Amino acid sequence: MLTLSDIAIVGSYETQLGVVPDRGPMALGVEATLGAIADAGLKPAAVDGLITCNSLVAPVMYHAEATAEYAGMAPGHCLSVGTGGGTTFTALRYAAAAIQTGLAHTVVVSMADSMRSFMTRERAMVVQSSSGHALYEQPYGPTVPAYYALIARAHMDAFGTTESQFAEAMVSSRAWAALNPSAQYRERVSVADVLASKPIADPLKLLDCSIVSDGGAAVVLTSLDRARDLPHAPVVLRGYGEGHHYEHISQAPSLIASAAADSGRAALAQAGLHARDIGLAQLYDCFSPALLIQLEDLGFCAKGEGGDYLASGAIRPGGALAVNTHGGMLSHCHPGNPGAMFGVTEAIRQYRGGAGERQLHDLEHTLLHAQGGIMSSHATLILGRPR
Amino acid sequence: MSGVDVVNQAYADGLAAGQLLLQRCADCGRHQFYPRIACSHCTGSKLNWVRAAGGGQIASFTVVRRGVSADFTAPYVVALVDLDEGVRMMTHIVDADPAQLEIGMPVSLDFQQVAVSSGSQPVFRLAAP
C-alpha cells in the first residue's frame, strides 16, 4: 500500500471570489472542479473520485453526484461531506486514503458556497448559529461570534490576554491581504481600528470576525508516480491528525485549550517534524480567539502566550511565522463551509512560486489546520515537497 | 419543540413545573446535563431526575450586541454557568450590569422568558452577597 507521502496534490483552482452574484454555489463548485482538473493537465474522464462539501445556501441531497452530473463527469466514487471546517482536511485525508488503498487513482476535492450573494444576512446568522444545540443552547439566542466570545473571555480571564492582542489577528491578516490582489478586503487596519469597530459580542468586535463571501476552490490528488507525468511539480501530504473533544461549546472540557493540540501533535509526528520546522501555517481564523488558541495548541508559542506572540507581530509579513499569506478568512474569502480550502490553494501557489508580492522563499513544510463547530473538531495536515 | 423524545420531554415537563432538572447516574453518582439516554461518564442507563439546587458560578459570558434574530432583543448576556452539581449549561445572566460581571462570580437560578416567542427558560442572576 502507498504511504501518505506517496500522495500528491497536482491540480489547484480558485474561482472568482468575494462578491460573485452571477454564479451560485453549484456553478462555482463545478467551475472549481473542472478548473482544478485542467490545472492538473488532466481530462475529467481521468478522475475516478469526487468529494464535495454540501452548500449551506442551496443544499442538495446528493451533492457530489449532482456536481459530477453538472460537470459531465461520471466518477466511480462520489462522497458528499456535510460540513466544512475541519472536514475540509478530513476530505483530503480520505481522498488520499482512497488512492493509497487503490480504491481510486485520481480524486478531486471541491468545495464552494455563496453565503454573501445568495443568502440574506439575517438568514445567514440563523443558519450559522444553528450549530448550537437545538434544545439546550439555541433557546438562549447565541450567535456564532458569541460562542467564540465565550472562549475569548475565558482566555482573557486565565492568561490576562487583552482585546488589543486579539485585534492583532486582523491587523496581520490585512497586512497579508494587501499583498494579494484576489483578497476580498485589502485595506490595512490598525489595532485602534479593530478596537473602534462595531461591538458584536463582547469582547469581540466586527474586525475580530471573519468575512462573508462567495467562492469555491478545488484540488486534485493522485499518486506521486502518476504526478511525475503531470505539468506541475507535485506537493505531497506528509502528515495528518485529528482531534475531537466535544461538539457543543457548553460541553467543552476546556474553553482555553482545544483538540488542536492532539491533531497537531499527530500530524507533526507523522511528518517527523516540529512546529519550528514549519515555514507556512494556514490556520482557521474564523475569529481572532480561534487563531490565537491554534497558535498555542499547535506549538508555535506556549499555552497562555498567544496574546504576546500575536502582539509581537510574529505573524505579520516578515515576522517569525508566515500565517495565512492569502489573508485567511478574516480578509481573503470565507464562503461558509469551504473557507479552509483557500488555505490549501494558497499553499500550492506558494510552492509553485506564484504568490507575487507575498511569495515565501525556500518553503519546505506547510501546516494546515482547520476546525469545525466551536473549536470542537480539529484536523491538521502537513504538506511538503517530495523527498 | 418538535420531535422531542422521552428524555427531552421529561426535562421540558420539569421546566413547565418551574424546575431545572438534571440527571444523576445511579451507578457512578455523577450528574449530567444535557439529558441523555446513558450516563456520559460511565455509560450507565439508570438515570434519575433530580432538581438543581440553584447555585452556580459564571464560567464565561458575553454581551450579545447584535441579536441572532428578531426573536431576541439585544443586548443580552449569554453565559456558561457551572452548577454546584458539577454540570455546565448555557444560559442568560439577567438583571446585571454587564460591566460588573466577572468569571467566577456566584449566581443563582431563576426562570424567565428570554425570547419573544418561547416560554420560560432557566436563567441566572448574581447571587446576593
Side-chain angles (χ1 to χ4, degrees):
Chain A
M1 194 177 83
L2 298 174
T3 66
L4 182 60
S5 57
D6 292 323
I7 308 305
I9 296 176
V10 295
S12 175
Y13 184 89
E14 290 177 5
T15 67
Q16 186 188 341
L17 50 85
V19 183
V20 191
D22 56 341
R23 286 202 169 170
M26 182 58 72
L28 288 173
V30 169
E31 180 194 337
T33 301
L34 294 175
I37 295 169
D39 179 68
L42 293 169
K43 300 289 184 198
V47 173
D48 55 358
L50 176 63
I51 303 180
T52 66
C53 92
N54 214 336
S55 164
L56 283 175
V57 169
V60 296
M61 196 173 291
Y62 297 95
H63 191 270
E65 292 85 340
T67 301
E69 173 193 279
Y70 189 133
M73 297 165 60
H77 301 277
C78 278
L79 179 65
S80 315
V81 293
T83 60
T87 318
T88 310
F89 301 146
T90 307
L92 286 171
R93 181 64 187 94
Y94 282 97
I99 299 164
Q100 281 178 258
T101 54
L103 181 71
H105 296 301
T106 302
V107 180
V108 173
V109 177
S110 177
M111 303 189 180
D113 214 342
S114 305
M115 294 288 281
R116 177 63 176 253
S117 300
F118 285 73
M119 188 176 261
T120 65
R121 196 167 279 223
E122 290 68 29
R123 177 79 187 134
M125 291 271 286
V126 170
V127 167
Q128 290 175 313
S129 66
S130 67
S131 63
H133 196 292
L135 298 179
Y136 301 104
E137 292 183 343
Q138 289 185 50
Y140 293 101
T143 59
V144 178
Y147 295 132
Y148 284 91
L150 293 168
I151 288 172
R153 177 73 66 189
H155 202 279
M156 292 166 75
D157 183 70
F159 302 115
T161 311
T162 66
E163 295 181 44
S164 296
Q165 290 173 331
F166 285 121
E168 182 62 34
M170 183 62 91
V171 174
S172 297
S173 166
R174 288 295 172 83
W176 283 110
L179 307 177
N180 183 359
S182 79
Q184 187 173 346
Y185 291 90
R186 302 185 63 203
E187 260 184 50
R188 291 174 193 272
V189 297
S190 66
V191 167
D193 292 332
V194 179
L195 295 178
S197 64
K198 188 176 160 191
I200 300 293
D202 301 0
L204 301 184
K205 293 154 286 279
L206 184 65
L207 292 179
D208 287 297
C209 305
S210 53
I211 58 178
V212 182
S213 317
D214 309 318
V219 292
V220 182
L221 294 88
T222 195
S223 66
L224 189 53
D225 272 353
R226 288 169 191 268
R228 306 258 187 223
D229 300 328
L230 298 175
H232 294 293
V235 174
V236 298
L237 281 59
R238 296 286 306 278
Y240 179 80
E242 291 182 33
H244 310 276
H245 288 179
Y246 60 92
E247 170 53 19
H248 302 103
I249 187 66
S250 59
Q251 302 292 312
S254 168
L255 295 173
I256 54 177
S258 76
D262 297 348
S263 67
R265 193 181 305 114
L268 286 164
Q270 185 176 16
L273 298 172
H274 186 275
R276 65 176 168 269
D277 302 319
I278 298 300
L280 170 62
Q282 300 286 75
L283 307 182
Y284 201 86
D285 56 343
C286 51
F287 294 91
S288 56
L291 179 69
L292 186 152
I293 289 175
Q294 285 166 49
L295 287 166
E296 294 176 347
D297 288 345
L298 294 167
F300 296 113
C301 62
K303 176 53 69 183
E305 292 176 6
D308 287 337
Y309 185 75
L310 271 178
S312 74
I315 70 167
R316 290 191 194 185
L321 177 69
V323 172
N324 294 344
T325 54
H326 54 316
M329 298 189 292
L330 289 170
S331 302
H332 173 261
C333 186
H334 191 17
N337 286 332
M341 279 296 286
F342 301 99
V344 185
T345 49
E346 170 72 359
I348 298 301
R349 194 182 287 111
Q350 289 283 359
Y351 279 111
R352 292 181 184 177
E357 284 185 84
R358 63 190 191 284
Q359 181 63 48
L360 305 174
H361 299 288
D362 306 319
L363 175 62
E364 285 294 333
H365 307 298
T366 298
L367 180 150
L368 295 125
H369 186 82
Q371 57 99 16
I374 314 300
M375 297 299 289
S376 314
S377 192
H378 295 260
T380 310
L381 179 67
I382 311 287
L383 299 181
R385 300 180 194 273
R387 290 181 205 272
Chain B
M1 288 188 273
S2 60
V4 176
D5 71 11
V6 64
V7 169
N8 293 313
Q9 187 60 52
Y11 172 82
D13 290 346
L15 209 55
Q19 299 182 353
L20 170 57
L21 295 183
L22 312 176
Q23 289 175 313
R24 185 172 183 276
C25 177
D27 289 333
C28 75
R30 296 180 71 177
H31 294 83
Q32 72 178 1
F33 188 84
Y34 52 89
R36 297 159 161 96
I37 61 161
C39 175
S40 58
H41 305 291
C42 76
T43 74
S45 57
K46 294 191 286 291
L47 297 160
N48 299 311
W49 291 101
V50 296
R51 194 173 166 176
Q57 58 178 18
I58 297 174
S60 194
F61 67 96
T62 176
V63 187
V64 178
R65 302 289 178 179
R66 186 171 154 191
V68 69
S69 69
D71 208 20
F72 292 86
T73 308
Y76 50 94
V77 178
V78 169
L80 297 173
V81 163
D82 289 333
L83 302 187
D84 293 342
E85 287 83 358
V87 301
R88 178 173 287 182
M89 66 181 293
M90 188 168 284
T91 186
H92 279 191
I93 306 296
V94 299
D95 299 334
D97 173 4
Q100 304 303 314
L101 293 178
E102 288 177 25
I103 288 175
M105 279 182 160
V107 291
S108 61
L109 175 67
D110 202 348
F111 294 88
Q112 194 169 297
Q113 189 177 0
V114 300
V116 173
S117 67
S118 72
S120 184
Q121 292 286 338
V123 298
F124 289 79
R125 57 183 71 250
L126 292 180

